[in-house]
Amino acid sequence: MKNCSRILASAAALSLVFSGCASSKVKELTKYAVKEVKTGNTTHIVVTNPKNGPVLGYAKNSGLKLLEVETNGITYAFKDMNGNGTLDVWEDWRESIDARAKALSQELTKDEIAGLMLFSSHERAPEEGLTEAQKNYLKNDNLRNVLNAGANNVEALVSWNNAMQAYVEGLIAEGRRVIPVNFSSDPRSTAGSDAQYNAGGEDISRWPSNLGIAATFEPKTMLLFARSAAEEYRAMGIATALGPQIELATDPRWLRFDGTFGENTQLAVDMTKAYVDGSQSTYGNNEDIGWSVRSINTMIKHFPGDGMGEGGRESHMESGKYAVYPGNNFEEHLKPFIRGGLTLNGKTKKAASMMLSYSAAVGPEGNPLFGAAKGSAYDQAKIDILRKTNNYEGVLCTDWGVTSTIGDPGNTLGLGMAWGMEDASIAQRHYEILLTGMDMFGGNNDKQPVLEAYDMWEQRYQEGLLPVSGAERFRQSGERLVTLILNTGLFENPYLSLSESKAVVGSQDKRDAGYQAQLDSIVMLKNKNQVIKKADVQQDYKNKTVYIPSSIRRGFKTVFAPAMDTKDPTMDIGAAEQYFKEVLTDTPITNPSGTVTGFQPPDLSNVDLVIIGMMSPDNGNNFSSAGLKDGAFYPLSLQYRPYTANGDKVRKTSISGDMLANGGKQNRGYFGAVSLIANEYDLDALLNARNAVAGVEAKTGRKIPLLVALKAKNPTIVQEFEPYADGIVTGFSVSDQAYFDILLGKQEPRGLLPMQFPKDMAAVEAQLEDVGQDLVPYTDEMGNVYDFGYGLGYAGVISDERTARYAGR
């Protein structure tokens, strides 16, 4: 690890636009300079050190003092973060990060480390400022890792960050040590409105999802995204990304497919390397200078993979708590984590942290893969792969809710994922997780169970049952946890300048790069008679009329919200109006109670083009218990029309299942059951549109092309609509504007499928949940096969160095 002062000085030399950055005048100073900056209700002091030393920041009224060190006539400033009047090793920015973390971990109390082990529940309203509840867990529970789930509102986030940092700094007046807050975030840069995990607000640049960037087949695009996102995150106070989600999406039905890099191992490895390298490194003059004030920690997830839930079910809910390995393919799923996350080309090397999966692993015969069927955070064999086999000393964090069950006292969420540990006490679950070598508890704001787990540990140590004391075990995690905060320079300056943050977040260069990535990620699947072609004067759509059908999309009830239906045009009408002379859409048809039951198309006599947006078949989300209703399992489906699971490849008896009181085993199969799809009407909308324009074509002899923008979250069975479409493009959480630009010829399509599109549900049932690229892919009426790596350009099937690089699995 580089010397911390060199890292921060190098970053300062890049003329970054953060309050933590040095100016070109730094070299002229012989003593540090001080100024005040006020943001909202917080005034903080900015201290500029000589010789490109790191800029320091602290709250004006916190009571924190500076320490001075003179060397060769140059006076440097340091923050006295424990108020003892002495420059301790961990306060000395000239020391290495490793040395500082080790020194600080030896001083931290049991209560402080217990607080560092907590990772807060979702904070969704930063615009409300620092709340009493937040003050409580910061002060009384020593919590320092906060999940920012608010919108991309720079002013609110800067104000919230500064207020929270000032509050914890002010605790020094009570004799407390200052440990800055480490803010984290789930994805917040995705362009499409269909992304499961994404923050609202338009202050930020917008990019395709992970799956969309994978569709570019260009790791350099991911590297550019990671660098841009890291800068924007830091300017909003976020120093840790809860991602990327790098596990192989080997079952096409899996509800989190869209958050991954797809099903190809090498593509996932390369994209992981680019993301982690771009996030955790800083580049000046094309040289990687390591950690800086533009870096963020990554928390790659979900080890050892969660893309093989039986039947595609998701492990957030009881319906999908088992991961199955019918193909004995466990080792393949480790590769993105080991080859991608732990062996990087950049100077910061391994990913700073990892999040574990929820699921319990089950082998092909239905037996636990490792000893007992327990969630990953409780599974010693899984953790040993990281800690022992690969000598990983980064932070390991549980996913949210792993220490709770629905039946726990006080649990009103109807959510709890302590799979395999349902009968244990809350404290016992914390103890068992610490025993495996984990460090953090996702979604936990209360230190008490952690302290109880400490007492359990210490008792067993005194009994001679454990080789190290509770204090030593806590210090192991403490050292890892403070390293996350030290990596990004927060001990030096956790404060933000509003004007400087506004200059970074959503800057035009980042917006342009994100939009270009959206265009590059869109895959053209079908282009009959070259209906999609380069725009020219004769193809001026400003003189044309487009028809955009509407659809009904049924909502699913989740643990957080009731079912909500939508009845809207399938593409953004406002965006379409920027391209066409006239935009037509449907009139809703309602029943006597006012419920929309369908749509009446307009007069299409003068329509030149039909564009319909279709979501891939929607089975629900992570929190809707998809695949389980009223105690009975049913199939997840990739077709729009109801699917009855009665084919010869459908399992009559599931691989996984709970052990029953009578000694038998639960059957979690779905043979004979029928799927539930929220957006079946998307297919109705397309077929209705096709019939309507066919009538006009018959009367006028004029061809009206029908184009589909398939907004895919999963592989899709397109046989239900492909023959009726003249052109089909698919994207992965991109904007409707990007679809229009590709469909109307602004840019030639370049994207390639990062997964296979199956022929039918029989092909889906025949594949194995843990094996990638084992589907029979669909072949369209043009003879094109929708296989991994397939995509069309204007001249036909794309065949270039990208497809050669990722051939095979």
Side-chain angles (χ1 to χ4, degrees), residues 409-458:
N411 185 349
T412 58
L413 278 180
L415 195 65
M417 300 82 152
W419 307 136
M421 296 293 293
E422 290 90 345
D423 294 333
S425 68
I426 295 174
Q428 181 74 26
R429 293 173 199 147
H430 284 77
Y431 167 76
E432 294 291 337
I433 287 172
L434 290 176
L435 197 62
T436 64
M438 299 284 292
D439 303 299
M440 299 185 80
F441 303 97
N444 293 16
N445 291 8
D446 182 4
K447 72 179 179 182
Q448 188 57 39
V450 185
L451 295 175
E452 292 177 26
Y454 178 97
D455 292 340
M456 290 180 179
W457 188 292
E458 192 62 22

Side-chain angles (χ1 to χ4, degrees), residues 544-548 573 576-578 580-585:
K544 297 184 183 296
T545 298
V546 68
Y547 165 50
I548 296 176
I573 298 299
E577 289 173 344
Q578 305 303 309
F580 295 95
K581 178 184 70 175
E582 187 175 9
V583 179
L584 303 179
T585 191

